[in-house]
Amino acid sequence: MALLLRFLLLCGIVGFTRSLSITTPEQMIEKAKGETAYLPCKFTLSPEDQGPLDIEWLISPADNQKVDQVIILYSGDKIYDDYYPDLKGRVHFTSNDLKSGDASINVTNLQLSDIGTYQCKVKKAPGVANKKIQLVVLVKPSGTRCYVDGSEEIGSDFKLKCEPKEGSLPLQYEWQKLSDSQKMPTSWLAEMTLSVISVKNASSEYSGTYSCTVRNRVGSDQCLLRLNVVPPSNKAGLIAGAIIGTLLALVLIGLIIFCCHKKRREEKYEKEVHHDIREDVPPPKSRTSTARSYIGSNHSSLGSMSPSNMEGYSKTQYNQVPSEDFERTPQSPTLPPAKFEHPYKTDGITVV
C-alpha cells in the first residue's frame, strides 16, 4: 500500500502539492530593428511558497564575451530598471501587479545590440523557477535602389540591378513588369528571383517599367525602374567631336601661353634698353655752371675789344643770356683806363 500511495502522489492523482513554476515555454522571438519585443514570463505559485516575491530578468549577450547581467529587478515591492546601461529606459514590466503571476517585459526601440538570450527568474521561497527566451533583432530592407548597369541600346548587353541599402539576410527578390503586356521576357525567367538580371542582345520590346521587391523575415521594400531601349547612337560622330574639341582646347591653351610669353619678352626687352640708355648718356651740367662758363667766355672776348664798340657788344651779348640762369644781376665788366697824351698849346690852340 505504501508503494501504491507513493506512486499515486507522484502521478498527481491524489493530494499532490506543486511548487512555483513558470508556464511560458522556452522560445525564440524575431523582431525588426526599432520595433518592440514582448518577452513573456508567466508563473504559478503553490501554497508552500510563503517567502517574499523576487523577479529578475538577465541577458546573455550574443557575443558571449560578457557575463549575464541583470536588466530589470522586482524585489521588496519595488522595481529597479537601471542595471544595464544599454537598455536603460527601454525595458518595462507589462503588468502593474506582478504578484498576479505575470512577470513579462517589453523591450522597446530594438537595436542590434539587444540580440541575445534573456532569462526570467522567479523566486518565492522555497519555490524557484527560470525560463530562457532567445531574442533575434533583424533589419528590414530599406533604401532599395533599382538601376541599369550598361548602355540601353538595341543589341547591347546590360544588367538590371536591385540593391537595398540595408536589410538582414537572407533576402528574397522578385521582379515584375508593370507596363505594356506585363510579361517578362522568357530569357529572364531564370533570374526573376535574383538581385541582378543579365540582359543579352537587348531589343526595343524590353522597354517598360519594372519593379523589384526585396523581402526578409521582418519586412519588405520596393523600387521602380524605367527601361528605355533605343537605337544605337552615332559613336563615330561623338568620338570625332570629342577629338576636335580636345584639339581646339589645346590650340587655345597654346595661344594663351604664347601670348603671355611674348608679352614677358617685350617687357624684359624694354627694361634692358632703358637701362642701357641711362648708362651711355652722361649726366647733364647744371644751369649755373653753364651760365658761368658763358660769362667767362664773354669776359675774354671783351678784353680784346676797343672802347668804341664795347657798349653795343656788351648789351647784345648779355641780353642773349636768359635771366633765369642767374641767381643775381650780372655786373658790367671793368674796363681798363684809356691812355691820353698830355695837351700842349701851339699858336694859342690847345692840342691834345
Side-chain angles (χ1 to χ4, degrees), residues 48-195:
E48 297 178 353
D49 301 325
Q50 298 296 322
L53 177 64
D54 292 331
I55 300 174
E56 186 180 58
W57 276 90
L58 301 95
I59 181 175
S60 300
D63 55 13
N64 295 322
Q65 295 181 358
K66 298 179 181 179
V67 298
D68 293 356
Q69 298 188 50
V70 177
I71 59 174
I72 192 168
L73 173 68
Y74 173 81
S75 180
D77 294 333
K78 292 184 179 181
I79 297 174
Y80 306 91
D81 58 0
D82 57 352
Y83 286 96
Y84 192 59
D86 289 350
L87 284 173
K88 186 175 181 180
R90 296 194 295 120
V91 58
H92 314 279
F93 284 109
T94 59
S95 176
N96 294 326
D97 184 13
L98 298 179
K99 295 179 181 180
S100 64
D102 188 359
S104 303
I105 61 172
N106 280 333
V107 180
T108 62
N109 190 23
L110 288 172
Q111 304 298 316
L112 296 179
S113 59
D114 299 338
I115 297 174
T117 300
Y118 292 74
Q119 183 176 187
C120 174
K121 287 186 176 182
V122 181
K123 178 181 179 181
K124 189 173 176 63
V128 176
N130 65 82
K131 283 291 175 70
K132 293 181 178 181
I133 297 176
Q134 186 177 358
L135 176 62
V136 178
V137 180
L138 302 176
V139 179
K140 293 180 180 180
S142 64
T144 306
R145 174 174 170 252
C146 295
Y147 64 97
V148 179
D149 184 6
S151 177
E152 302 176 46
E153 296 181 350
I154 295 176
S156 63
D157 299 340
F158 54 82
K159 294 180 179 180
L160 307 183
K161 293 188 175 182
C162 179
E163 297 178 353
K165 185 176 181 180
E166 60 179 1
S168 299
L169 300 176
L171 295 173
Q172 298 177 348
Y173 297 86
E174 181 182 0
W175 287 89
Q176 289 182 336
K177 188 174 183 181
L178 305 179
S179 60
D180 301 334
S181 62
Q182 297 185 355
K183 184 178 181 181
M184 297 290 288
T186 306
S187 58
W188 298 7
L189 296 179
E191 300 177 330
M192 293 295 295
T193 56
L194 302 178
S195 62

Side-chain angles (χ1 to χ4, degrees), residues 304-315:
S304 60
M305 296 183 70
S306 60
S308 60
N309 57 4
M310 179 63 68
E311 183 179 358
Y313 179 82
S314 176
K315 292 180 178 180

